Amino acid sequence: MSDDPRWPQSQETAGCVTAAPGEDGRPPGVDAFEELSARVRQLSLERRRLHRLLQAVVAISIDMDTRAVLRHLVEAGADLIGAHYGALGVLGENGEFIDLITTGVDAERLMAESGLPQSHGLLGQLIVRREPLRVDDIRADPRAVGFPPGHPVMTSLLGVPLRVRGVVYGDLYLADKEDGTPFTEADEALLTALASAASVSIENARLYGQLKRAAEQFQRRLLPVLPDLSPLRVEARYEPASDLPRLGGDWYDAVGLPDGTVLVVVGDVTGHDVEAAPQMGQIRNMLRVLAFDRCGPPSLIVDRLDRALTAFGDPPAATLLLARIEQRPGAGHAMCWTNAGHPPPLLVTADGTVHCLAPEAHGIPVGVDPALPRPDHVRLLPPESTLLLYTDGLIERRDRDIDTGLRDLADHAAALATAPLDLLCDALIGRRRAYDDDVALLALRVPRRPA
């Protein structure tokens, strides 16, 4: 070989070494590149999985609709792990399934044909053993029994129990990965995390429900059982606010007084907390004592209540409407009332005419300024007419004006003018499924004129 620098040098002496092809015929370095690409794809997948998992968990804190949260978690599990089917079964307190949330399956059709899942077979194993379950071939597993007719044919299964502090609330399971591979430990770990989030959501919903029921029971125990005030008919209803706190300050009362008259009252203590309900009970009891002690006009009773409340430092503020119903010889029944900043009563006659009893002069809520005067008003009550006293929760809504709510109540009451009093109260309370505020309703019906 010539030493002439113009002569081409060998690859080795030129410092550019070209390795020989591998046994598979591919240049070296291709395998390393492909391995690096696979790692990048895996990191990207894991990052997407983590982001999706965090989205699913965060959904619990921003959505109080438990079923919507659970559906989100089922869909997230099927999406992250790449499964054709996903389902979440919720157990009731008796250990039987009470709900089924699915993805990839028409749950409504399936439940209509065969009902909810049963606590046996593979699903029963999840509940009993309280640990994750992976099955590569469902048809070959002797525990795979109880599939109803019309159930999709499934090959592989991954299931985890929903459990919090030793209590099993149901199970979360997936079937048949889209790529046909068996479920892995990584899949199991991911589904277990989602199951933990679902368990917390179910437990929170049940604790929330227990708190609502306890608060409502406490509130109702503070309200009186109405006596027989014949010949007058009296019915009352109480409906708590739809959201917590369900402790409120709304109340009603009706009592017969020593002078033969009937005292009716509906009121609302300001606030919705643990203080409002006891304050309501105190005010109701004080009104009874004052009414029995001095059978005077309603304005005098409310004025004495106001002075008693403001004598003890920081008084609670409350609106109320107090009325005395008395029978006048030759004139039938009459109502004398005073209004302390409360919504006006409605008088519904037997022919369906509704009168809103809202005179210009009325008092301010109690607990504000006892020095201001409280006027009384008088109105004859026609035979078979109905008097409606209520709190503002019955006519108030966040999305409309209170005057619109009052007209709506009057229209409904007019259509029910001759309905039995209990049905009238049920209908007026049942007009809405949810109330922003608690509601007290008292209805009094005057008897027909004697022959």
Side-chain angles (χ1 to χ4, degrees):
M1 184 178 295
S2 171
D3 292 332
D4 189 339
R6 294 171 298 175
W7 189 262
Q9 297 179 336
S10 68
Q11 292 175 341
E12 182 179 359
T13 57
C16 180
V17 180
T18 302
E23 294 181 359
D24 58 0
R26 297 192 301 174
V30 172
D31 291 339
F33 175 77
E34 290 182 350
E35 181 181 354
L36 179 61
S37 298
R39 289 182 179 180
V40 170
R41 287 194 298 271
Q42 182 64 26
L43 288 173
S44 177
L45 176 61
E46 290 177 356
R47 182 178 180 182
R48 188 182 73 85
R49 279 186 164 189
L50 179 61
H51 180 68
R52 187 75 168 86
L53 177 61
L54 290 175
Q55 281 185 324
V57 174
V58 168
I60 298 176
S61 62
I62 62 176
D63 195 341
M64 285 302 295
D65 183 352
T66 304
R67 207 170 192 278
V69 171
L70 297 181
R71 176 170 296 282
H72 186 75
L73 293 174
V74 174
E75 294 173 348
D79 177 41
L80 289 171
I81 297 176
H84 280 294
Y85 309 109
L88 188 151
V90 181
L91 291 175
E93 295 181 1
N94 61 354
E96 298 296 326
F97 284 98
I98 59 174
D99 197 7
L100 180 68
I101 302 167
T102 67
T103 181
V105 178
D106 187 348
E108 291 186 4
R109 180 189 62 80
L110 190 62
M111 287 191 290
E113 294 177 354
S114 54
L116 288 164
Q118 303 299 312
S119 300
H120 56 249
L122 291 173
L123 298 185
Q125 289 294 310
L126 281 173
I127 304 302
V128 173
R129 298 179 60 183
R130 301 188 176 193
E131 59 184 28
L133 176 68
R134 277 186 287 161
V135 178
D136 294 340
D137 188 353
I138 294 176
R139 289 169 294 184
D141 195 305
R143 299 168 297 180
V145 296
F147 287 99
H151 192 283
V153 177
M154 298 178 177
T155 302
S156 59
L157 177 75
L158 169 62
V160 292
L162 307 180
R163 183 177 60 179
V164 177
R165 287 182 283 274
V167 178
V168 177
Y169 292 103
D171 49 32
L172 174 61
Y173 51 97
L174 306 176
D176 295 357
K177 293 184 71 170
E178 294 175 352
D179 59 9
T181 61
F183 291 103
T184 65
E185 290 185 5
D187 298 333
E188 180 181 312
L190 182 58
L191 196 64
T192 299
L194 289 172
S196 297
S199 304
V200 171
S201 180
I202 296 173
E203 183 184 53
N204 287 345
R206 294 192 178 174
L207 292 174
Y208 179 80
Q210 291 171 7
L211 181 58
K212 288 169 66 175
R213 289 190 294 272
E216 181 178 345
Q217 185 180 27
F218 174 75
Q219 179 85 16
R220 292 188 185 278
R221 286 183 178 274
L222 293 175
L223 296 172
V225 176
L226 298 181
D228 182 4
L229 299 173
S230 299
L232 297 173
R233 287 281 315 283
V234 181
E235 287 278 343
R237 297 290 185 272
Y238 174 78
E239 185 68 25
S242 301
D243 297 322
L244 284 180
R246 289 170 77 89
L247 285 174
D250 291 21
W251 88 93
Y252 58 79
D253 202 0
V255 294
L257 298 180
D259 60 359
T261 61
V262 169
L263 183 84
V264 292
V265 60
V266 166
D268 182 1
V269 175
T270 303
H272 296 86
D273 50 32
V274 293
E275 294 184 359
Q279 289 172 345
M280 172 268 288
Q282 293 172 356
I283 292 177
R284 183 177 67 84
N285 291 333
M286 291 173 68
L287 275 174
R288 278 195 170 194
V289 172
L290 291 171
F292 271 88
D293 180 55
R294 297 287 179 91
C295 295
S299 61
L300 176 62
I301 297 172
V302 176
D303 181 69
R304 293 185 52 149
L305 170 70
D306 204 359
R307 294 182 184 278
L309 290 175
T310 54
F312 299 101
D314 187 18
T319 68
L320 62 89
L321 190 142
L322 183 75
R324 286 168 54 97
I325 313 297
E326 59 185 39
Q327 191 166 10
R328 297 184 175 181
H333 287 83
M335 175 179 72
C336 178
W337 81 97
T338 190
N339 190 329
H342 202 74
L346 297 181
L347 179 62
V348 186
T349 58
D351 62 359
T353 303
V354 179
H355 304 273
C356 181
L357 307 184
E360 292 185 3
H362 61 83
I364 64 172
V366 297
V368 178
D369 186 354
L372 295 178
R374 296 194 176 279
D376 283 307
H377 313 283
V378 178
R379 178 73 179 239
L380 291 176
L381 304 179
E384 300 182 80
S385 63
T386 304
L387 179 67
L388 297 177
L389 310 182
Y390 54 91
T391 55
D392 55 6
L394 189 63
I395 57 176
E396 277 189 339
R397 272 174 44 181
R398 297 189 183 101
D399 58 350
R400 72 177 184 186
D401 184 81
I402 192 171
D403 291 334
T404 302
L406 184 57
R407 287 194 298 270
D408 181 59
L409 175 64
D411 291 342
H412 279 82
L416 298 163
T418 58
L421 203 57
D422 56 343
L423 297 183
L424 180 145
C425 289
D426 290 340
L428 294 182
I429 285 288
R431 291 176 306 138
R432 287 160 53 186
R433 293 184 179 179
Y435 285 95
D436 301 329
D437 195 0
D438 52 338
V439 176
L441 169 67
L442 187 143
L444 180 144
R445 180 160 291 171
V446 179
R448 67 179 59 186
R449 192 183 301 276

